[in-house]
Amino acid sequence: VQRGCAMAAAEAKAHGVDWTFAPMVDHCVDPRWGRIAETFGESPYASAVYSAASVHGFQGSQLGGPGSIAACLKHYTGYGASEGGRDYSYTEIDTQTLWEMHLPPFEAGVRAGARSVMSAFNDLAGVPASANRYTLTEILRHRWGLTGPVVSDWKAVLQLTYQGYAADEADAVQKAMVAGVDIDMNDGLYRKHAAALVASGRLPIAVVDEAVRRVLRLKFELGL
């Protein structure tokens, strides 16, 4: 796995790619899930070993060096437990299952030096993964020490409105950023609403500064 990821990184780097949305370390036991290929399997131990190996392969011994690109662990977290194997669906994961089955591959990847993480579409017992401060900040940053950025999955910030967790687009931006999502993928809501939220006092400028700091830190590490 490490050699395969190193080869992929070398080929990507040669074409100007500096960041990959991999490895995919979701814990999944339902073959109906449409993204069943995005998992290393049912064993959290095996997934943790492969997660670390992938990170070492992609990033190499020196981030930003020849053949080195930044890894991004996904989808954080509980995505593979979507009810009925349906994308975007609800997940009900008790605390013990979360810690024993879903989190170990992500922790292993962060401990191995992964520079970024992607937040998931699903919710966790009613709180969407892309607005979940407990998983995104308390666990990922305070406990495991991730210093790089968290990027949302495709339009996951906008989806907070569909999930009934945010009243509108601006509310979705406020909730996602405060929870710990630094980069908004594709829907453009950060660009559209962040400045007004700061001006109104709903979004502390310190939160924006920290998000920018995490992105710039990774850019500097990659030599961009």
Side-chain angles (χ1 to χ4, degrees), residues 197-216:
L197 285 167
V198 170
S200 69
R202 292 178 60 193
L203 179 63
I205 189 63
V207 172
V208 180
D209 286 345
E210 184 57 36
V212 172
R213 185 177 294 112
R214 291 165 182 159
V215 174
L216 289 179

Side-chain angles (χ1 to χ4, degrees), residues 5 20-26 40 50-52 54-55 58 71-75 106 109 114:
C5 289
T20 180
F21 290 159
M24 297 168 282
V25 295
D26 297 294
F40 282 120
Y50 291 137
S51 175
S54 299
V55 170
F58 285 132
C72 182
L73 306 169
K74 57 187 258 192
H75 310 81
F106 290 98

Side-chain angles (χ1 to χ4, degrees), residues 5-213:
C5 289
M7 179 60 72
E11 293 179 352
K13 186 79 169 185
H15 288 274
V17 175
D18 296 283
W19 185 29
T20 180
F21 290 159
M24 297 168 282
V25 295
D26 297 294
H27 172 71
C28 182
V29 296
D30 191 340
R32 296 175 298 174
W33 190 38
R35 304 178 78 164
I36 193 66
E38 301 191 358
T39 174
F40 282 120
E42 297 181 25
S43 166
Y45 172 74
S47 294
V49 171
Y50 291 137
S51 175
S54 299
V55 170
H56 290 311
F58 285 132
Q59 298 187 168
S61 58
Q62 180 183 357
L63 191 63
S68 172
I69 61 177
C72 182
L73 306 169
K74 57 187 258 192
H75 310 81
Y76 186 74
T77 183
Y79 188 38
S82 295
E83 286 190 353
R86 291 177 172 268
D87 251 352
Y88 301 90
S89 287
Y90 184 85
T91 61
E92 180 67 52
I93 304 172
D94 63 78
T95 302
Q96 182 168 343
T97 301
L98 179 69
W99 281 98
E100 288 189 356
M101 309 302 288
H102 294 273
L103 292 181
F106 290 98
E107 180 176 9
V110 173
R111 303 290 189 197
R115 302 305 300 128
S116 63
V117 170
M118 182 184 294
S119 64
F121 287 128
N122 60 287
D123 57 10
L124 288 168
V127 181
S130 291
N132 195 313
R133 185 170 175 80
Y134 173 65
T135 54
L136 292 172
T137 296
E138 292 183 32
I139 296 175
L140 194 57
R141 301 198 182 281
H142 295 169
R143 188 177 296 224
W144 295 345
L146 179 76
T147 59
V150 170
V151 58
S152 76
D153 206 338
W154 187 270
K155 294 187 177 182
V157 176
L158 176 62
Q159 190 192 318
L160 297 178
T161 63
Y162 305 151
Q163 292 170 300
Y165 195 73
D168 50 34
E169 291 181 354
D171 192 38
V173 170
Q174 191 273 340
K175 284 182 164 63
M177 288 202 77
V178 169
V181 177
D182 306 299
I183 303 173
D184 171 28
M185 192 202 298
N186 185 262
D187 56 40
L189 296 190
Y190 280 16
R191 184 183 304 111
K192 183 177 178 181
H193 296 289
L197 285 167
V198 170
S200 69
R202 292 178 60 193
L203 179 63
I205 189 63
V207 172
V208 180
D209 286 345
E210 184 57 36
V212 172
R213 185 177 294 112

